[in-house]
């Protein structure tokens, strides 16, 4: 059996069921940030809201837990997004119950962009701190997250067209 060259993590379209995408804001730590996730009229996902620094806040995220996926045949995540000129993180987890994530930043410019993020460049992080562990091994993936946390109060808007493994 041949392995597909590319695999789509989630198929966004106008009638996509995004109920498994979960918003996690800094309210879990007392913060006041607000994020939303929805499908727009073009059939793309939109992650938008406002990051507040009040009450020790400072982040908003949206995550998707998938059944543990063997990703050894792939070497990178390719995302096609249209941002608002702000910096975001793409995060993955090997196991959903891991406390740490493997992260990489991407800087948006206000137009459609495609980012190729190599697994080997995704470093382990917990609560904003880089951990002394190896980078992502690219064996199993069970969670994908988009997060904004730029140490400032700001509105944000990230449109997501595609997330693939390649």
């Amino acid at each position: 059996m041949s392995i597909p060259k590319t695999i789509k993590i989630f198929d966004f379209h106008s009638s996509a069921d995004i109920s498994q995408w979960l918003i996690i804001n800094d309210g879990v730590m007392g913060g006041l940030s607000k994020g939303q996730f929805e499908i727009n009229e073009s059939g793309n996902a939109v992650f938008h809201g406002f990051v507040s620094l009040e009450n020790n806040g400072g982040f908003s995220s949206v995550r998707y837990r998938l059944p543990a996926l063997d990703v050894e045949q792939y070497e990178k995540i390719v995302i096609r997004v249209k941002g608002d000129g702000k910096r975001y993180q793409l995060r993955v987890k090997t196991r959903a119950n891991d406390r740490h994530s493997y992260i990489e930043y991407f800087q948006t410019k206000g137009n459609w962009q495609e980012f190729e993020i190599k697994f080997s460049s995704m470093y382990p992080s917990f609560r904003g701190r880089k951990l002394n562990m190896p980078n992502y091994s690219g064996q199993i993936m069970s969670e994908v997250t988009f997060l904004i946390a730029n140490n400032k109060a700001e509105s944000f808007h990230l449109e997501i067209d595609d997330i693939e493994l390649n």
Side-chain angles (χ1 to χ4, degrees):
M1 184 168 118
S2 68
I3 303 291
K5 182 177 174 157
T6 301
I7 187 170
K8 197 174 285 273
I9 294 290
F10 193 89
D11 188 14
F12 296 109
H13 53 81
S14 59
S15 60
D17 177 8
I18 58 169
S19 62
Q20 298 302 307
W21 287 84
L22 179 64
I23 292 287
I24 299 174
N25 295 314
D26 53 22
V28 298
M29 299 163 40
L32 301 174
S33 298
K34 297 289 181 204
Q36 296 180 11
F37 193 68
E38 57 203 12
I39 299 289
N40 67 12
E41 58 282 342
S42 300
N44 297 320
V46 180
F47 173 44
H48 63 99
F50 185 81
V51 174
S52 170
L53 299 180
E54 293 182 48
N55 291 352
N56 298 313
F59 77 88
S60 182
S61 68
V62 60
R63 80 167 181 220
Y64 176 63
R65 287 197 169 154
L66 50 147
L69 180 63
D70 179 350
V71 298
E72 283 189 87
Q73 301 299 316
Y74 306 97
E75 62 184 40
K76 60 189 168 188
I77 299 177
V78 180
I79 57 174
R80 185 170 185 272
V81 298
K82 182 179 180 182
D84 50 10
K86 296 182 174 78
R87 184 177 79 155
Y88 292 85
Q89 289 180 27
L90 179 69
R91 306 166 73 101
V92 300
K93 284 189 175 185
T94 300
R95 291 176 300 278
N97 62 349
D98 284 347
R99 294 185 71 164
H100 67 281
S101 295
Y102 295 94
I103 73 171
E104 184 63 76
Y105 289 93
F106 61 96
Q107 177 69 47
T108 65
K109 296 181 179 176
N111 56 333
W112 283 106
Q113 296 171 270
E114 185 173 280
F115 294 95
E116 295 186 0
I117 299 171
K118 291 188 177 255
F119 293 158
S120 61
S121 71
M122 300 184 83
Y123 63 88
S125 177
F126 178 67
R127 293 190 177 163
R129 290 181 174 79
K130 186 174 182 179
L131 302 176
N132 187 16
M133 296 170 51
N135 284 5
Y136 181 52
S137 67
Q139 293 178 329
I140 301 292
M141 184 180 297
S142 62
E143 186 174 295
V144 174
T145 300
F146 290 92
L147 180 138
I148 184 165
N150 293 324
N151 297 319
K152 59 181 162 181
E154 61 185 349
S155 62
F156 64 91
H157 189 275
L158 181 68
E159 192 169 345
I160 306 162
D161 177 46
D162 207 12
I163 309 167
E164 294 182 344
L165 299 178
N166 199 316

